[in-house]
Amino acid sequence: MIVDPARPRAGRTSGPPRRTLLRALPAAVLGIGALSACTHASERLDAESNAVPQVDLSGIEKVPEIAALVPEDIRARGELVNGAALNYAPGEFIGDDGTAIGYDIDILAAIGRVLGLATRTEAAVFAQIIPAIGTTYDVGMSSFTINAERLEAVTMVSYFQAGISYAVKTGNPYDIDPAQLCGARVALQVGTFQEELAIERSAQCREDGRRAFDILAYASNSDAATNVAGGKADILMADSPVTAYAIIRSRGTLEAIGEVEESALNGIVVAKDQPELAEAIRAAVQHLIDSGDMERILAAWGNESGMIPTAEVNPEP
């Protein structure tokens, strides 16, 4: 949460976008606004759902030469309007007070301070954000992976990098190797790219004459993480921001294992006919990277590993 007054992952080219799979699930299944039911694990990892990071942005000041790049109509309005699907913790989700929170929301507010603008996030259906950029919304900041298909429709400014990552119970008591999961109990969220990938890899295990994955698909990543920490599953498989957030909230019961796979850039969406706005946002993001504020925000959410050194407009996917 910000103290400031003022996912999908692209997946493979042969399959649907990772966040598209997740967004297709109804809000009730994703547990938005409520805690989803789970097994009788000794302790839920989302028990401290009220303890969201408090990121102080008050020291981030307007940079006049960057603010001057903002189109006149937006400067006159004094506000940057964002569309986001608020069901993807820790990127963007709904806090207990009903407001949008997450590292994307904090980064957006920091960008606004650099540009001398207030920021406002409106809840949206993920698939409907891009078509509304430039009309309903000035930008779309909702963990969008930069890919060729999206770049045909909109401009994207890179600010973060994410992929698939893994976590196990601290100490790895079951001696799990993420590269060798045949026969392992793999916990993940139902309807995500990870489930699709796990099914594919499990089939390969069978073809190779080995035991298939024991796929444990839960209604939420929180449930999946809880059951890994409780020993009911061997390994958590999730988007890297989700895994990192689960670890930081696990009170030391989970640890990362293996490398991040299929890493790709996330981007802030801007309309193609707004090159000045895209450049203003790029310059603001780069300022936050250079000043250390981007790392500070991401670290508060356990996701400093997603830092990139350079913000670009329409980078190669």
Side-chain angles (χ1 to χ4, degrees):
M1 179 183 294
I2 62 174
V3 186
D4 180 19
R7 331 230 258 208
R9 298 278 310 140
R12 297 155 300 153
T13 55
S14 60
R18 187 168 310 165
R19 290 291 302 279
T20 299
L21 284 167
L22 178 59
R23 302 298 193 185
L25 294 175
V29 174
L30 293 173
I32 300 170
L35 301 180
S36 303
C38 72
T39 58
H40 298 291
S42 59
E43 179 179 18
R44 290 191 55 91
L45 296 186
D46 59 359
E48 297 184 54
S49 58
N50 292 328
V52 298
Q54 301 287 323
V55 184
D56 184 3
L57 305 180
S58 62
I60 301 175
E61 298 182 350
K62 177 180 177 179
V63 180
E65 60 268 30
I66 299 177
L69 300 172
V70 176
E72 175 57 35
D73 61 329
I74 297 177
R75 269 190 285 155
R77 188 201 313 151
E79 182 181 60
L80 194 66
V81 181
N82 173 48
L86 302 176
N87 59 358
Y88 188 70
E92 51 277 330
F93 58 111
I94 300 173
D96 286 345
D97 62 356
T99 62
I101 59 173
Y103 62 75
D104 274 350
I105 308 306
D106 286 347
I107 293 169
L108 177 71
I111 290 170
R113 292 188 68 86
V114 174
L115 298 179
L117 299 171
T119 58
R120 172 164 54 91
T121 293
E122 296 187 358
V125 175
F126 187 75
Q128 296 175 4
I129 297 172
I130 285 181
I133 296 296
T135 52
T136 305
Y137 315 118
D138 299 313
V139 298
M141 196 166 183
S142 192
S143 300
F144 283 101
T145 297
I146 297 174
N147 61 34
E149 180 181 0
R150 288 178 178 144
L151 291 177
E152 289 181 0
V154 291
T155 295
M156 302 188 77
V157 179
S158 59
Y159 71 100
F160 186 71
Q161 186 160 301
I164 298 172
S165 64
Y166 302 88
V168 295
K169 190 172 182 177
T170 298
N172 195 10
Y174 306 117
D175 195 26
I176 298 298
D177 178 358
Q180 303 290 337
L181 291 181
C182 295
R185 299 173 298 171
V186 180
L188 45 77
Q189 182 174 353
V190 66
T192 59
F193 177 73
Q194 284 76 31
E195 183 178 35
E196 177 193 0
L197 192 60
I199 291 170
E200 181 181 293
R201 291 179 179 177
S202 180
Q204 186 62 53
C205 289
R206 288 192 298 269
E207 288 181 18
D208 294 342
R210 293 178 290 173
R211 288 177 56 201
F213 287 22
D214 183 3
I215 299 174
L216 306 177
Y218 296 95
S220 72
N221 276 303
S222 175
D223 291 341
T226 296
N227 282 281
V228 173
K232 298 181 184 300
D234 298 324
I235 189 167
L236 171 68
M237 182 181 185
D239 280 353
S240 55
V242 173
T243 302
Y245 191 51
I247 290 169
I248 201 172
R249 298 171 73 211
S250 73
R251 301 178 182 174
T253 59
L254 292 176
E255 66 180 21
I257 189 171
E259 301 296 324
V260 176
E261 302 173 359
E262 302 197 14
S263 187
L265 291 169
N266 283 7
I268 302 167
V269 178
V270 182
K272 273 191 175 294
D273 63 357
Q274 290 273 27
E276 298 89 355
L277 179 59
E279 177 54 26
I281 290 173
R282 184 211 64 78
V285 171
Q286 191 63 54
H287 176 79
L288 294 173
I289 292 171
D290 295 341
S291 67
D293 288 307
M294 180 70 79
E295 183 174 16
R296 182 168 61 87
I297 292 167
L298 290 173
W301 291 94
N303 269 278
E304 63 270 31
S305 62
M307 277 283 298
I308 61 173
T310 306
E312 299 178 87
V313 176
N314 293 340
E316 283 291 322

